[in-house]
Amino acid sequence: MNGIIFFTFTFPPLIYLLNHQTMTRVRKPVLAPFFAILLVTLACETPQKWTETENGSLRTVTQTDGPRLGYSSTSGVSILTDKGFAFKDLNKNGQLDAYEDWRLPVDERARDLASKMTLEQIAGLMLYSRHQSVPAGNRGFMSGTYGGKPFEESGAKASDLSDQQIEFLTKDNLRHVLLTRVERPAVAAEWNNHAQALVEGLGLGIPANNSSDPRHGSQSDFEYNAGAGGEISLWPGSLGLAATFDPDLVQQFGEIASREYRALGITTALSPQVDLATEPRWNRFNGTFGENPKLAADMARAYIDGFQSSDNGGWGYQSVNAMVKHWPGGGPEEGGRDAHFGYGKFAVYPGHNIAEHLLPFTEGAFRLRGGTSMASALMPYYTISFDQDVRNGENVGNAYSTYLITDLLRGEYGYDGVVCTDWLVTGDPGKPDEFLGKSWGMETASLAERHYKVLMAGCDQFGGNNESGPVLEAYQMGVAEFGEDWMRARFETSAVRLLRNIFNTGLFENPYLNSHESATIVGNPDFMKAGFDAQLRSMILLKNKAGVLPLSSGLTVYVPQRWIPGRGGFFGPPAPPVLGDPVSPALVANYFATTSNPDEADVALVFIESPMTGSGYDKADLASGGNGYVPISLQYGDYTARLARDTSLAGGDPSENFTNRSYKGKSISATNATDLVLLQQTRQAMKDKPVIVLLNATNPTVLAEIEPATDAILLSFSIQNQAILEVLSGNVEPGGLLPFQMPADMATVETQREDVPRDMKPYVDSQGNSYDFGFGLNWQGVISDDRTRTYVTK
């Protein structure tokens, strides 16, 4: 239009001048029309605003007023121009479609693309892969082949796609890949580029949205060196972050972790886990932010803002989608048994308190301060939230529940993000202790019926499903019940939600990475320092008798060896038992003189872990005529559950001929009871000299057995031993606070209600201090500051 206006009002006088002045002088009036056409052309065309470079098969388009574009020369994609701007022709039709136009709103682009997708493509978009390692392992859960051979025999590069990955990306149209182990950052970047080049050349050119479970946990034996980098920045576990009582620190973690994720090709984090930790025996307690609803909500908000907000405060190339979990809260597991297995399928609410379990979502994840507004994705837990469906009366796994997903989550709370099931929710289950499918409440349904039930409940995606066949069968069930138009619209609704998260992170414009840049970003010195500083702030000093801490550098310390019991592997082979040093002697020697003879020592450092008493289910009990259900204990000594319920609140499984899962009167022993023995032996050997316990906590612990034998107790949450030594030596003052209660005994654990926070009797130590929520010491004594005033209710 501008060109037409220019021609209409400018060219008549210009032609007049050309004919009567310029052309008269050169005596060639016939050229006037040529100059007129040339000027019209110049007026109508906008100068090109982009340049293109190449690096091997990768092409990069840089534009002054638009996003950087990346594409592969092997994918068949070319560049389209409009008004001087560049766009990727992802569907290779030579036209600029709405979904290819980065100037349009994300939802408009997503709706356009969803309308163009085949049913098979939408079904593939609804899949989320099983766990993938790069390179694939030779056997077990994450195995794969390369040209039909194991990786070591194939001659493939670590960054190559496995046969299985190629199949689910091409045949099943899968576009969401869960990455676990990667060889190193550069390999992850190259693998990402190979995957993106493959899918860019298929159909509509939809990029892969790669994801990860949390991967920033610390290694106890890793030594921090200022100025040195690492594989990835190392931070305390979620309980450690919660112990800082500092949402700003958690947001900093999110900001740094998101930069590292993007450098690895990861654009969705399967986190944070914001379950309210009201059941102290639950084995996923350590993945939470504790039991206080306000603290958990503030930490959830900060975590997600850090991950999702880019440099502009909203969505961008630094953004990572956060998949908050687990709706409506996986914390209140009956007896502490976990729902990865059939023996832990039920969440119970004896305190009628599901409302508080929603707060980390409704007041945290759904009320962000940044420009992304709310968590872009959500995962329900495996559990059957027993008797909580007040509308339909169903007792099915959360992802199958129309009441929990459509009525409550989407209806009452207005959530319109992606809802993805937890992994293998639609799979076939086995016996209660078998790690197979987790289709709780839908065990007898067919595979297709389970997929259909999940879709009708309001979910969008199937975690751990690589095959699209059952999704397409579910579509046909919907057609039979509601008609083609309705079911097509239902599929497109989910497609728009899923595509929105890919558009928001800029993947349609440029999904490619520079492997050299990735290697310099992931685990760089600044990020490593930030993680180490957070570890220092996460430790909780519970006891400091007579000010024994900090220790002076001239002291000689004795660190007894620890018997580490064998452990069953969750995804891999079990770990054998071993007797060894709990901390590197060379590392300790950087701070103190050391000895292996307690008689020569000034002080003993005893490293132990929370009691480990199993899952709450025992085949031996079943074989001896019991129901298989046994207690989970939080103490080191033998425990008999005399105060347990006579009848369980929930029960029932197709493989069981009973519904009462009570374990009353049964006994259990901790597999690491040797930790208590170690402490007792050390106390005896040290006589009246100080004994300091360093407790790596995964759950609340009954300290009545160990506290009297100690002079100091320092609590930590999966951090580096070096950080612990920094506090012991006085280089850093402790400042962490308990994000949960430490129970006085197992009686209070057994009689507390699984869904109610802070309803246990806390332990009171020999110094008169109560180990309640929010308690912690520094060198001066009990901490009382803005954090305790904000979160600790008196």
Side-chain angles (χ1 to χ4, degrees):
M1 175 64 76
N2 291 339
I4 296 173
I5 294 172
F6 184 90
F7 177 83
T8 304
F9 294 100
T10 305
F11 271 73
L14 181 60
I15 294 172
Y16 175 85
L17 290 174
L18 285 169
N19 278 314
H20 291 79
Q21 295 180 19
T22 308
M23 293 303 118
T24 301
R25 186 172 61 252
V26 298
R27 298 185 183 279
K28 292 185 178 179
V30 73
L31 293 178
F34 169 78
F35 279 98
I37 293 170
L38 176 62
L39 289 170
V40 169
T41 303
L42 292 173
C44 291
E45 290 190 1
T46 304
Q48 180 171 301
K49 301 179 180 181
W50 54 273
T51 58
E52 183 170 348
T53 58
E54 62 181 73
N55 180 14
S57 62
L58 297 184
R59 303 289 186 267
T60 302
V61 174
T62 305
Q63 29 195 358
T64 54
D65 296 313
R68 177 177 294 183
L69 308 181
Y71 68 103
S72 171
S73 62
T74 65
S75 68
V77 165
S78 60
I79 294 297
L80 303 171
T81 59
D82 183 66
K83 297 182 179 178
F85 295 111
F87 306 85
K88 293 166 64 174
D89 186 12
L90 290 166
N91 60 1
K92 301 97 179 164
N93 67 352
Q95 300 176 5
L96 180 60
D97 295 284
Y99 84 91
E100 298 166 335
D101 190 342
W102 46 260
R103 297 167 299 189
L104 298 177
V106 161
D107 276 13
E108 183 177 341
R109 299 178 69 187
R111 286 192 297 269
D112 176 67
L113 179 51
S115 70
K116 291 177 166 61
M117 295 175 71
T118 65
L119 293 179
E120 290 76 14
Q121 289 168 335
I122 296 178
L125 196 65
M126 290 177 168
L127 304 178
Y128 223 125
S129 83
R130 298 187 182 98
H131 300 67
Q132 304 294 312
S133 64
V134 178
N138 290 343
R139 62 184 66 87
F141 193 71
M142 293 174 282
S143 62
T145 57
Y146 297 80
K149 298 179 180 180
F151 174 71
E152 285 78 4
E153 301 173 13
S154 67
K157 296 180 180 178
S159 60
D160 288 345
L161 302 179
S162 70
D163 299 334
Q164 293 73 23
Q165 291 161 358
I166 293 171
E167 180 176 7
F168 64 59
L169 289 171
T170 55
K171 176 184 174 183
D172 291 288
N173 295 291
L174 185 148
R175 291 296 179 272
H176 294 80
V177 182
L178 173 56
L179 295 176
T180 53
R181 184 174 57 248
V182 295
E183 186 176 273
R184 60 182 187 277
V187 169
E190 292 164 2
W191 181 93
N192 169 81
N193 290 351
H194 293 155
Q196 299 294 3
L198 173 63
V199 298
E200 188 176 71
L202 302 174
L204 296 163
I206 300 173
N209 181 358
N210 303 323
S211 70
S212 174
D213 279 313
R215 61 192 313 118
H216 283 83
S218 296
Q219 306 163 41
S220 62
D221 58 351
F222 183 88
E223 186 169 354
Y224 172 72
N225 179 13
E231 290 289 323
I232 198 167
S233 62
L234 304 178
W235 297 72
S238 294
L239 280 179
L241 291 174
T244 70
F245 278 54
D246 185 357
D248 289 340
L249 174 65
V250 174
Q251 181 160 343
Q252 180 195 29
F253 163 70
E255 291 167 352
I256 289 174
S258 67
R259 300 314 188 263
E260 293 185 307
Y261 273 25
R262 290 306 300 256
L264 294 169
I266 295 168
T267 45
T268 294
L270 302 187
S271 57
Q273 182 189 336
V274 303
D275 306 288
L276 207 57
T278 52
E279 170 46 65
R281 295 164 290 188
W282 186 32
N283 70 2
R284 299 194 69 179
F285 191 103
N286 64 336
T288 74
F289 291 126
E291 65 178 309
N292 181 271
K294 177 173 172 52
L295 179 63
D298 288 352
M299 294 301 193
R301 183 187 309 109
Y303 187 109
I304 298 166
D305 267 331
F307 266 89
Q308 291 190 170
S309 293
S310 196
D311 289 340
N312 62 0
W315 291 106
Y317 283 107
Q318 287 79 42
S319 297
V320 171
N321 294 292
M323 184 178 290
V324 62
K325 57 189 185 183
H326 304 91
W327 179 264
E333 305 265 5
E334 184 163 21
R337 300 183 297 271
D338 181 60
H340 277 84
F341 298 86
Y343 55 65
K345 67 168 71 174
F346 294 106
V348 294
Y349 300 84
H352 308 287
N353 195 39
I354 191 173
E356 279 199 287
H357 287 262
L358 302 181
L359 294 178
F361 299 92
T362 61
E363 302 304 311
F366 301 168
R367 292 180 180 269
L368 304 183
R369 292 196 175 100
T372 64
S373 299
M374 64 172 56
S376 64
L378 175 146
M379 183 188 295
Y381 203 39
Y382 297 116
T383 46
I384 296 172
S385 297
F386 192 69
D387 283 352
Q388 297 306 299
D389 183 348
V390 299
R391 191 158 303 172
N392 308 304
E394 275 194 315
N395 277 314
V396 291
N398 296 325
Y400 292 108
S401 173
T402 300
Y403 169 72
L404 291 174
I405 305 302
T406 292
D407 298 344
L408 193 63
L409 176 64
R410 297 209 187 276
E412 185 169 341
Y413 294 109
Y415 184 76
D416 192 39
V418 168
V419 177
C420 176
T421 74
D422 213 329
W423 264 234
L424 301 180
V425 158
T426 56
D428 291 330
K431 296 179 181 179
D433 63 334
E434 290 183 314
F435 189 76
L436 297 171
K438 302 147 205 334
S439 51
W440 312 141
M442 294 290 292
E443 292 95 337
T444 60
S446 70
L447 192 61
E449 287 169 339
R450 293 175 197 146
H451 282 76
Y452 184 56
K453 177 71 170 171
V454 166
L455 287 172
M456 292 303 100
C459 297
D460 305 295
Q461 198 165 30
F462 302 91
N465 290 25
N466 290 5
E467 296 84 21
S468 59
V471 184
L472 293 171
E473 287 186 65
Y475 179 86
Q476 294 303 326
M477 291 179 178
V479 171
E481 183 172 359
F482 297 105
E484 184 85 38
D485 291 345
W486 189 95
M487 199 58 189
R488 171 74 198 195
R490 171 65 189 87
F491 258 45
E492 288 192 22
T493 296
S494 287
V496 168
R497 292 178 183 138
L498 292 160
L499 292 168
R500 184 188 294 144
N501 292 352
I502 306 177
F503 280 114
N504 277 331
T505 49
L507 290 173
F508 276 91
E509 276 60 66
N510 186 14
Y512 296 99
L513 300 171
N514 182 309
S515 60
H516 300 294
E517 290 181 3
S518 293
T520 62
I521 292 171
V522 180
N524 72 58
D526 289 341
F527 292 175
M528 296 297 290
K529 182 179 186 304
F532 189 71
D533 289 347
Q535 294 180 52
L536 297 174
R537 294 183 57 191
S538 70
M539 283 172 279
I540 305 168
L541 182 61
L542 291 178
K543 182 180 180 181
N544 193 20
K545 181 180 177 181
V548 65
L549 294 179
L551 303 175
S552 64
S553 59
L555 294 178
T556 298
V557 303
Y558 166 59
V559 183
Q561 288 191 317
R562 175 175 181 260
W563 181 258
I564 303 172
R567 308 187 190 202
F570 199 64
F571 289 137
V578 62
L579 176 66
D581 295 312
V583 57
S584 165
L587 180 61
V588 179
N590 291 336
Y591 294 85
F592 310 104
T594 62
T595 180
S596 59
N597 184 353
D599 293 335
E600 300 174 353
D602 298 305
V603 62
L605 307 180
V606 182
F607 287 79
I608 61 175
E609 295 187 7
S610 295
M612 296 176 284
T613 60
S615 63
Y617 190 86
D618 186 5
K619 286 183 177 179
D621 178 80
L622 188 66
S624 63
N627 62 3
Y629 293 87
V630 295
I632 298 174
S633 175
L634 300 180
Q635 68 182 35
Y636 296 96
D638 293 347
Y639 168 65
T640 300
R642 296 185 178 89
L643 297 179
R645 298 181 179 107
D646 292 317
T647 304
S648 62
L649 296 178
D653 188 274
S655 67
E656 297 175 338
N657 60 3
F658 57 87
T659 58
N660 186 7
R661 295 182 165 194
S662 175
Y663 49 82
K664 186 172 183 177
K666 297 180 182 179
S667 299
I668 195 73
S669 301
T671 57
N672 64 331
T674 49
D675 280 350
L676 176 60
V677 175
L678 177 66
L679 173 60
Q680 292 169 338
Q681 291 174 340
T682 304
R683 174 75 276 171
Q684 184 177 8
M686 293 296 292
K687 301 182 175 62
D688 60 350
K689 292 182 289 188
V691 173
I692 298 169
V693 162
L694 298 316
L695 173 59
N696 179 32
T698 57
N699 291 79
T701 301
V702 176
L703 294 178
E705 298 170 303
I706 67 173
E707 182 270 326
T710 69
D711 293 275
I713 301 174
L714 185 64
L715 199 67
S716 62
F717 304 95
S718 303
I719 62 172
Q720 295 165 239
N721 287 327
Q722 183 181 2
I724 296 172
L725 291 166
E726 285 287 306
V727 170
L728 293 177
S729 64
N731 291 338
V732 175
E733 184 174 19
L737 304 169
L738 279 173
F740 51 81
Q741 294 179 307
M742 283 291 199
D745 48 40
M746 276 305 297
T748 192
V749 173
E750 201 67 74
T751 56
Q752 57 86 35
R753 293 163 294 178
E754 286 93 335
D755 61 325
V756 178
R758 298 188 63 186
D759 66 338
M760 293 190 297
K761 177 184 176 182
Y763 179 72
V764 178
D765 71 8
S766 57
Q767 308 298 298
N769 289 318
S770 176
Y771 294 177
D772 204 347
F773 171 83
F775 172 76
L777 301 172
N778 55 24
W779 301 145
Q780 290 71 46
V782 177
I783 296 172
S784 178
D785 56 19
D786 288 342
R787 298 174 300 163
T788 58
R789 286 185 285 274
T790 299
Y791 294 106
V792 182
T793 303
K794 298 297 185 183

